[in-house]
Amino acid sequence: MRFVRYQKPNHPPRQGWLSGNEVGPIEGSIFTEFRRLEAEDELSQIKILPPVLPSKIICVGRNYAAHASEHGAEVPEVPLLFLKPPSAVIGHLDTILLPPQSQQVEHEAELAIVIGKRGRWILPDQAENYILGYTIANDVTARDLQNRDHQWTRAKGFDTFCPIGPWIETEFNPADALITCTVNDEIRQMASTHDMVFNTYQLIAFASSVMTLEPGDLILTGTPAGVSPLRDGDVVRITIEGIGALENPVKSEAPH
Ligand code: ZN
């Protein structure tokens, strides 16, 4: 099933379901008990919002060997965690802003786990029970600032640096799905989730040994090789087989 958050003109945001082109509201909570109401809209008639509002966004660095080596780095022995702030989240078709402080902002196409249930010290073989579903994320990164700063809060944390969506797919199998990233229809990244160093269950176990995972939290599972710069006027599109496609235009942020 697909969960979507959306808005119609002059209406508050709603939680809903998506089937084919049809969208209907959901009553209750997608994390506990809910009921699907009848379809009311077509996909083209609604504005899609970020599918969740996470309390935290846990990211994993260097989780594909080929991406680690393109930066001259080793694959870590345990997952390398960092955080993005919830204020960085934008949705499908929202604009990624290139901040004036960076001259090298890059896309990172990633599979994102959506946590469905609170948990700490989750075992890998129990991890599946804590997953609501999966979505697509772009871990937008100011690469020049990342290299300069030694830690990554600034490089990863600008507003608009975490596009997610367009929806949550609950029936996705993360074992071997193709991730593709295009910029202006030119392919930049293409890999299978099969090439992850640590799989989604190992990442949930590891992250939850550090911090309590809450419903709606996201774990971004790392990016494959092929990251490349984004420029004003670009359109970046990340497709994950079995989920859909997350597309965002890119603009330079006006100086303040
Ligand atoms: Zn990343």
Side-chain angles (χ1 to χ4, degrees):
M1 186 163 109
R2 287 178 175 175
F3 291 123
V4 62
R5 270 180 74 247
Y6 65 102
Q7 193 160 24
K8 294 195 282 181
N10 307 314
H11 283 76
R14 296 197 89 162
Q15 193 70 244
W17 56 268
L18 170 72
S19 175
N21 242 349
E22 285 191 328
V23 179
I26 275 174
E27 207 175 62
S29 164
I30 58 172
F31 300 109
T32 51
E33 301 261 310
F34 67 89
R35 198 160 70 90
R36 287 166 62 154
L37 305 181
E38 285 204 18
E40 286 180 2
D41 296 287
E42 300 224 326
L43 196 50
S44 58
Q45 295 169 309
I46 59 165
K47 172 173 167 48
I48 292 181
L49 302 174
V52 280
L53 299 172
S55 79
K56 57 188 166 295
I57 303 155
I58 303 168
C59 302
V60 182
R62 300 176 197 148
N63 199 31
Y64 289 80
H67 171 63
S69 68
E70 75 183 342
H71 289 144
E74 299 283 313
V75 166
E77 278 172 33
V78 296
L80 172 62
L81 301 186
F82 63 94
L83 296 167
K84 280 170 102 78
S87 49
V89 168
I90 57 172
H92 178 58
L93 300 179
D94 291 341
T95 302
I96 298 168
L97 294 174
L98 305 176
Q101 298 96 318
S102 172
Q103 272 63 58
Q104 190 188 358
V105 174
E106 298 189 342
H107 56 81
E108 292 193 358
E110 307 199 5
L111 174 68
I113 306 164
V114 183
I115 297 298
K117 199 164 78 168
R118 169 182 258 239
R120 178 100 205 275
W121 293 109
I122 300 165
L123 296 170
D125 65 0
Q126 296 293 312
E128 202 170 358
N129 302 325
Y130 291 82
I131 299 172
L132 176 69
Y134 291 86
T135 190
I136 303 168
N138 191 345
D139 175 19
V140 180
T141 303
R143 194 72 63 201
D144 49 353
L145 304 184
Q146 184 185 28
N147 294 334
R148 203 179 302 158
D149 280 357
H150 302 291
Q151 54 85 10
W152 304 349
T153 303
R154 181 166 69 137
K156 300 280 193 176
F158 284 96
D159 282 7
T160 77
F161 270 26
C162 193
I164 57 170
W167 41 72
I168 300 165
E169 172 61 67
T170 61
E171 269 132 68
F172 177 76
N173 178 354
D176 184 16
L178 191 69
I179 303 183
T180 312
C181 178
T182 63
V183 178
N184 307 331
D185 294 326
E186 181 186 299
I187 293 178
R188 301 281 177 89
Q189 295 185 273
M190 189 187 271
S192 167
T193 55
H194 184 257
D195 297 335
M196 284 184 195
V197 177
F198 300 102
N199 69 32
T200 55
Y201 305 141
Q202 292 169 317
L203 293 176
I204 289 170
F206 187 81
S208 74
S209 75
V210 180
M211 56 190 101
T212 301
L213 303 183
E214 300 285 353
D217 282 355
L218 296 173
I219 301 178
L220 274 51
T221 58
T223 198
V227 297
S228 69
L230 295 171
R231 312 208 187 282
D232 184 89
D234 283 348
V235 174
V236 55
R237 185 179 174 89
I238 301 170
T239 306
I240 299 183
E241 194 182 26
I243 302 179
L246 170 69
E247 183 176 302
N248 299 92
V250 179
K251 288 264 171 292
S252 291
E253 187 179 5
H256 286 80

